[in-house]
Amino acid sequence: MSVTAPQGFEAAGVAAGLKSTGKADVAVVVNRGPRKVGTAVFTSNRAKANPVIWSQQVVADRTVEAVVLNSGGANCFTGAFGFQTSHLTAEKTAELLEVSAGDVVVCSTGLIGTGDEVFRGKVLAGVEAGIAQLSADGGQAAAEAIMTTDTVAKTVVVRRDGWTIGGMAKGAGMLAPGLATMLVVLTTDADVDAADADAALRRATGVTFDRLDSDGCMSTNDQVTLLANGASGIRPGLDAFAAALTEAADELAKKLQGDAEGASHDITIVVRGAVSEQDAVEVGRSVARNNLFKAAIFGNDPNWGRVLAAIGTTRAVFDPYDTEVWMNGVRVCAEGGPDRPREEVDLTPRATDLVIDLKSGDATATIRTNDLTHEYVHENSAYSS
Amino acid sequence: MSVTAPQGFEAAGVAAGLKSTGKADVAVVVNRGPRKVGTAVFTSNRAKANPVIWSQQVVADRTVEAVVLNSGGANCFTGAFGFQTSHLTAEKTAELLEVSAGDVVVCSTGLIGTGDEVFRGKVLAGVEAGIAQLSADGGQAAAEAIMTTDTVAKTVVVRRDGWTIGGMAKGAGMLAPGLATMLVVLTTDADVDAADADAALRRATGVTFDRLDSDGCMSTNDQVTLLANGASGIRPGLDAFAAALTEAADELAKKLQGDAEGASHDITIVVRGAVSEQDAVEVGRSVARNNLFKAAIFGNDPNWGRVLAAIGTTRAVFDPYDTEVWMNGVRVCAEGGPDRPREEVDLTPRATDLVIDLKSGDATATIRTNDLTHEYVHENSAYSS
């Protein structure tokens, strides 16, 4: 069901010929109202793709009628022509839906530098075909149309008393914070105003997608868009809505982690005992981005020294001689030296738990990452070929 | 010849049983004077190994009589016992050489967490054996004794009119700035005072070892030590000495890059047109640490979009729509879009040249790195087993 699980949303996914495999590659999600609240968060990469630049303008007034997404080309670093393509995509959509082009969000994913006339023609034809196929059952087809190296379509539905949140996500590798590299659309029939929608989206992404750091690489195309139409007639409070939205975002984030390119371990890094949440996040990220640690986990090797070496590169408050490291429940380092024998740690399961106790305060944070594998190198060396 | 190329230095390398292979694993370098000037730069990792903590005290007065180095154990996160081991190593050396323990630098490399009583006993026995074998021809043996995953011993000799600089280095992977992970000893018979030696060492390492970023991972054990004895009787000016020292350091840095674990490409990243050298370095590092770019180079894929995506994560002054990217002499990106076809780029040679022109100023910097390969993952996943 994904984005069409809440009332008042329609979606479609069609094959427009952007993917050489012939699979679906253009998705359309339309909000049928009554309200047309929309907001989004974007990559913090300063090299932004054209659809990001376009969509930042669109969401400024917190009104969104539709989202058009394509896989098979990032339309990034494609010059003025590429920006015009995003603009034309919105105009075509607006014309067919009889809405304003300024209320149509555009998202693209694929190889940077792809966005020529052929690309433009296929996207525009895809928009036309997609809108012709819009339906209240189209959520799954839309989720499939945004896949790139994803091995599964990623969707979520969170139900509350009388209202629902639906969502779809694409992303597999190039996952880094601020945001993780991904395209996500979240929909809800709850009656939330623009301010609450925006606040809830930032709260939810801040502790979910922003803390997913698969390979430290930040994309040029990330967008997470939230559409709200109030079709349920129920108005949850901000806290209740934000909690449900966080649940939906967390579920999608876990699915992104679980499908990261070539990964063989899903690593959950819990940092506790930090002086501040910021310190906890910085420590978690430093470990999540350490290639030596990630390669060790791939090899089922509880090499805790690499954890300490990573923490040492941060500015966080900690005492190297009073920090604890736990791997899958076994305390392997305490008081600046080896604790339990590394042989006690079983790293063969895919789910890997790393706990770091800085013993300096009460703050905590969780960062999700993956291991560094032969397959990761292989997939990313062959990406554009 | 390495560290014994200049007059007045002796060295030795012996097998003390720290390496399971039975190869040499303890090295000693002694300055026979007349002057005993010594200085060093250390890892900026806040999780420092015991020999680093010890040696920082030793060089505070800019006097160093000898350097003892061991491979086969990092003596890091080994608690108070480990610090005492570094102290005892210096005391044993001092006793045999009839000098002060406070003038003996100690360096260790190997697995973090290794440094028990057996380790201590072998190191102390190795010191005794090494000092008994000291000779003016011992430079090569010393260079071999500090190897870990290095495939070749790394040495350098730079000769000037009447004076000489010699050096040895170990390091292969875990190479990152501030410093790159390495143990280096540089010796000279030039007559330089403590202030000039220190200034020259910082100048040389700042543009060589500090700009080598093989895998973004910073070690706990890095040390670069310079010993100067004035035995040549010649006193070069600071600029002349610093230039020769930079030449020696650069040569060793290139050898470290060329021997990085599992690498198949040595990538030289030249950033020009930057507003400041700091901007140029930040941009170069962002690319050097981007796993997606590094995996693409491994696959001989001129995926310049990943270069732009990396630059976009920095704070450097640049216009994404007026930045140029050159790969092995071919301009693949200009004015925010594709330029020459990627097919024109031949990435099959090991030496890979990436030039980034930010077109914003006159500053430039060069960063050296390697590609991300199957072999890198393999070697680092099996490191401790």
Side-chain angles (χ1 to χ4, degrees):
Chain A
M1 290 293 284
S2 89
V3 289
T4 49
Q7 301 172 57
F9 289 95
E10 293 181 4
V14 297
L18 296 164
K19 285 179 181 164
S20 57
T21 56
K23 290 189 178 171
D25 43 25
V26 170
V28 184
V29 181
V30 177
N31 180 359
R32 295 300 189 184
R35 300 186 69 175
K36 304 293 178 68
V37 173
T39 184
V41 289
F42 300 92
T43 180
S44 55
N45 198 310
R46 292 167 60 213
K48 292 185 204 308
N50 287 305
V52 168
I53 298 168
W54 168 260
S55 299
Q56 284 181 318
Q57 299 174 7
V58 169
V59 302
D61 67 356
R62 302 283 181 261
T63 302
V64 177
E65 294 274 358
V67 184
V68 177
L69 313 93
N70 77 272
S71 50
N75 192 14
C76 180
F77 290 107
T78 47
F81 183 87
F83 183 77
Q84 213 181 6
T85 298
S86 294
H87 190 167
L88 287 172
T89 304
E91 284 196 332
K92 177 67 135 183
T93 307
E95 181 194 321
L96 295 168
L97 294 175
E98 296 180 351
V99 300
S100 162
D103 294 333
V104 178
V105 163
V106 179
C107 305
S108 300
T109 179
L111 186 65
I112 291 177
T114 302
D116 59 8
E117 287 195 55
V118 176
F119 170 87
R120 179 190 283 181
K122 288 178 177 175
V123 169
L124 294 179
V127 166
E128 200 156 348
I131 289 175
Q133 293 181 33
L134 282 171
S135 89
D137 300 321
Q140 182 66 26
E144 286 168 11
I146 59 174
M147 292 166 66
T148 53
T149 55
D150 305 68
T151 62
V152 290
K154 299 168 186 80
T155 64
V156 69
V157 177
V158 171
R159 296 192 191 278
R160 289 291 188 269
D161 192 15
W163 55 280
T164 302
I165 293 172
M168 66 179 187
K170 95 96 204 170
M174 211 194 285
L175 293 171
L179 310 169
T181 301
M182 58 186 57
L183 297 182
V184 177
V185 179
L186 295 159
T187 54
T188 185
D189 51 17
D191 183 14
V192 288
D193 61 22
D196 275 11
D198 198 58
L201 182 63
R202 284 165 207 284
R203 217 188 275 184
T205 56
V207 295
T208 56
F209 300 126
D210 281 354
R211 296 197 179 167
L212 176 63
D213 196 335
S214 171
D215 62 5
C217 295
M218 190 193 294
S219 156
T220 50
N221 287 57
D222 295 336
Q223 299 189 39
V224 179
T225 306
L226 168 66
L227 308 178
N229 63 13
S232 69
I234 296 173
R235 182 167 194 125
L238 172 59
D239 284 349
F241 181 66
L245 197 66
T246 301
E247 188 181 319
D250 195 46
E251 185 68 26
L252 287 176
K254 281 185 202 159
K255 289 184 177 179
L256 291 168
Q257 178 189 30
D259 197 28
E261 283 174 351
S264 68
H265 289 79
D266 298 336
I267 310 171
T268 305
I269 304 173
V270 175
V271 181
R272 64 189 191 203
V275 161
S276 66
E277 190 176 343
Q278 190 185 331
D279 266 17
V281 169
E282 186 184 354
V283 165
R285 278 205 205 300
S286 74
V287 177
R289 294 184 172 183
N290 188 283
N291 279 350
L292 293 168
F293 166 73
K294 290 154 78 87
I297 296 298
F298 166 58
N300 296 335
D301 170 14
N303 195 328
W304 55 267
R306 292 176 178 174
V307 175
L308 271 299
I311 300 172
T313 65
T314 71
R315 293 154 300 180
V317 175
F318 84 109
D319 176 355
Y321 295 98
D322 193 19
T323 294
E324 294 183 357
V325 178
W326 304 67
M327 285 180 168
N328 283 355
V330 179
R331 193 172 71 174
V332 283
C333 171
E335 295 175 15
D339 192 40
R340 303 299 310 166
R342 56 178 71 210
E343 291 71 29
E344 290 182 10
V345 182
D346 178 11
L347 285 170
T348 53
R350 183 174 177 101
T352 308
D353 288 313
L354 176 69
V355 177
I356 298 163
D357 193 337
L358 300 178
K359 305 183 85 170
S360 302
D362 296 324
T364 184
T366 299
I367 299 286
R368 296 181 189 283
T369 190
N370 296 100
D371 54 349
L372 178 61
T373 69
H374 291 298
E375 275 306 297
Y376 175 90
V377 174
H378 178 72
E379 290 197 28
N380 286 298
S381 62
Y383 182 83
S384 73
S385 56
Chain B
M1 291 291 282
S2 90
V3 289
T4 48
Q7 301 172 57
F9 289 95
E10 293 181 3
V14 297
L18 296 164
K19 285 179 180 164
S20 57
T21 57
K23 290 188 179 172
D25 44 25
V26 170
V28 184
V29 181
V30 176
N31 181 358
R32 294 301 189 184
R35 298 186 69 175
K36 304 292 176 69
V37 172
T39 184
V41 288
F42 300 93
T43 180
S44 56
N45 199 309
R46 292 167 60 213
K48 293 185 203 309
N50 287 306
V52 168
I53 298 169
W54 168 261
S55 299
Q56 284 180 318
Q57 300 174 8
V58 169
V59 301
D61 67 356
R62 303 284 181 259
T63 302
V64 177
E65 294 274 358
V67 184
V68 177
L69 312 93
N70 77 273
S71 50
N75 192 14
C76 179
F77 289 107
T78 45
F81 183 86
F83 183 78
Q84 212 180 6
T85 298
S86 293
H87 189 166
L88 287 172
T89 304
E91 283 196 332
K92 177 66 136 182
T93 307
E95 180 194 321
L96 295 169
L97 293 176
E98 296 180 353
V99 300
S100 160
D103 294 332
V104 178
V105 163
V106 178
C107 305
S108 299
T109 179
L111 186 65
I112 291 176
T114 303
D116 59 7
E117 285 196 55
V118 176
F119 170 87
R120 179 190 283 181
K122 287 177 177 175
V123 170
L124 295 179
V127 166
E128 199 155 347
I131 289 175
Q133 292 180 35
L134 282 171
S135 89
D137 299 320
Q140 183 66 24
E144 287 168 9
I146 61 175
M147 293 166 66
T148 53
T149 55
D150 305 68
T151 62
V152 289
K154 300 169 186 78
T155 64
V156 69
V157 177
V158 171
R159 296 192 190 279
R160 290 290 188 269
D161 192 16
W163 55 279
T164 301
I165 294 173
M168 66 178 186
K170 95 94 204 170
M174 211 194 285
L175 292 171
L179 307 170
T181 301
M182 58 186 56
L183 296 181
V184 177
V185 178
L186 294 159
T187 54
T188 185
D189 51 16
D191 184 13
V192 290
D193 62 22
D196 275 11
D198 198 58
L201 182 63
R202 283 164 207 283
R203 217 189 274 186
T205 55
V207 295
T208 56
F209 300 126
D210 281 354
R211 295 196 180 169
L212 176 63
D213 196 335
S214 171
D215 63 4
C217 295
M218 189 194 294
S219 156
T220 50
N221 287 59
D222 295 335
Q223 299 190 39
V224 180
T225 307
L226 169 66
L227 308 178
N229 63 15
S232 69
I234 296 173
R235 183 166 194 126
L238 172 59
D239 285 349
F241 181 66
L245 197 65
T246 301
E247 188 181 321
D250 196 46
E251 184 69 26
L252 288 176
K254 281 185 202 158
K255 289 184 176 178
L256 291 167
Q257 178 189 30
D259 197 29
E261 283 173 353
S264 69
H265 289 80
D266 297 336
I267 309 170
T268 305
I269 304 171
V270 175
V271 181
R272 64 190 190 202
V275 161
S276 66
E277 189 175 346
Q278 190 185 331
D279 267 18
V281 169
E282 186 183 354
V283 165
R285 276 204 207 300
S286 75
V287 177
R289 293 182 173 186
N290 188 283
N291 279 351
L292 292 168
F293 166 74
K294 291 154 77 87
I297 296 298
F298 165 58
N300 297 334
D301 171 13
N303 195 329
W304 55 267
R306 293 175 177 174
V307 175
L308 271 299
I311 300 172
T313 65
T314 70
R315 293 155 299 180
V317 175
F318 83 109
D319 176 355
Y321 296 97
D322 193 19
T323 294
E324 294 183 356
V325 178
W326 304 67
M327 284 181 168
N328 283 354
V330 179
R331 193 173 70 174
V332 284
C333 172
E335 295 175 16
D339 192 39
R340 302 300 309 166
R342 56 178 73 210
E343 291 70 31
E344 290 182 11
V345 182
D346 178 12
L347 285 170
T348 53
R350 184 176 176 100
T352 307
D353 287 313
L354 175 69
V355 176
I356 298 163
D357 193 337
L358 300 178
K359 304 182 84 169
S360 303
D362 296 325
T364 185
T366 299
I367 299 285
R368 295 181 190 284
T369 190
N370 296 99
D371 54 350
L372 178 61
T373 68
H374 291 297
E375 275 306 297
Y376 175 89
V377 174
H378 178 73
E379 290 196 28
N380 286 298
S381 63
Y383 183 83
S384 73
S385 56

